Amino acid sequence: MKTATPAMARAINDRLALDLLLERGPLTAPQLRTLTGLSRPTVSDLIERLVDGGLIEVTGECGEDRRGPKARLYGIVAGRAHVAGVDVRRVAVNVTVADITGATVGTAVRDLPGGTGGHVHPDAPGGLADRDVSGEPDLVALVESAVAAAAGGRALDTVVIGAPGLVDPRTGDLVSGNDVPGWGRGFLESVRRRLGVPVVLENEVNLAAVAEHRSGAAAGSDDFVLMWLDDGVGAAVVLDGRLRRGMSGGAGEIGLLDVNGATLCHVVDAQVARGLDVGELARRIAVGAFALVTVLDPGLVVLGGKTGRAGGDKLAGLVAERLRELSPAPTRVLGSTVAGNAILQGAVLTALDTARDKIFG
């Protein structure tokens, strides 16, 4: 059996301390010793190492005795790295930039044709100046503009983009096109060239599931399915705490399910849902949920998107009731509890995971 080398042990201890500082905020050396179970010399060495590496800094003092180093509070150097999450939807591009601690430092929005931003001046971002010769918006330019505005001059370490469509896990690009105005072949590579930083593309519902798992209705559940009920309909699958994409990125494409001659996408999308009473809507949603439960037995189905959030506990309860009639597998059904844009939050969280692994080790 192999044992950890001294260098590996130091790296493990450093990451343990950094994760505690991210989770709990500034801590003193004695607090780090208590939480990690490490010895006084080991904690002293790792603090010195992390300070010298520009990863942590003294942020203040704690307690009545302010004379010794034990009273110093150490925290993550927030500006050590910045990441961007990008939500590219059919109506707008939304961007959030966060520092390495996860604190938001900038946001930006660029409307696309059909968006809700109203009239756009031709020379403004999203206006005629950002359209190609075909009249389609220059989506790459809009993403670049929004990222630059949100970053406010800060260098970015990682950018994660969420968008509709199947993302091939092997290539990291869309398997086929989507209906986002201006999206075309080579979009991802063009964005990478323009931004000059690592850029990752992910299906938007998968990113919403990341947010739901970290801070929403699925927090604490290693197995669940997020049903996305919005202008588009789909699902994301999380099993054993890991996002499951499938061979081609198509895991969870429940919107294609046939429901009495029509696809599920067409019978429960946001526009149709607004015209249905809650009982009929629940019945239709349960058809899709039943397919997921039958194959995966996740134990938890979360209803997300505009329809899922608006329906809340009442809609979730009715879907659960219908599921009990259809399936013997016990399944909880909950409405999404992620506040704000779940896709954007999932993109930022995914970008932070990548940046922290690279910088913290």
Side-chain angles (χ1 to χ4, degrees), residues 20 62 81 109-110 129 137 142 177 189 205 240 264 278 289 302 317:
L20 283 168
C62 179
V109 180
R110 295 291 182 265
L142 289 174
E189 190 56 39
V205 182
D240 297 324
L264 183 67
V278 67
V302 178

Side-chain angles (χ1 to χ4, degrees), residues 326-346:
L326 298 172
S327 172
T331 306
R332 293 183 299 148
V333 182
L334 300 173
S336 171
T337 58
V338 175
N341 186 328
I343 296 168
L344 199 53
Q345 291 181 46

Side-chain angles (χ1 to χ4, degrees), residues 15-37:
R15 185 59 190 263
L16 175 60
L18 288 165
D19 286 343
L20 283 168
L21 289 168
L22 283 170
E23 178 186 349
R24 298 177 178 243
L27 297 168
T28 64
Q31 288 171 330
L32 281 171
R33 290 202 303 272
T34 299
L35 292 168
T36 62

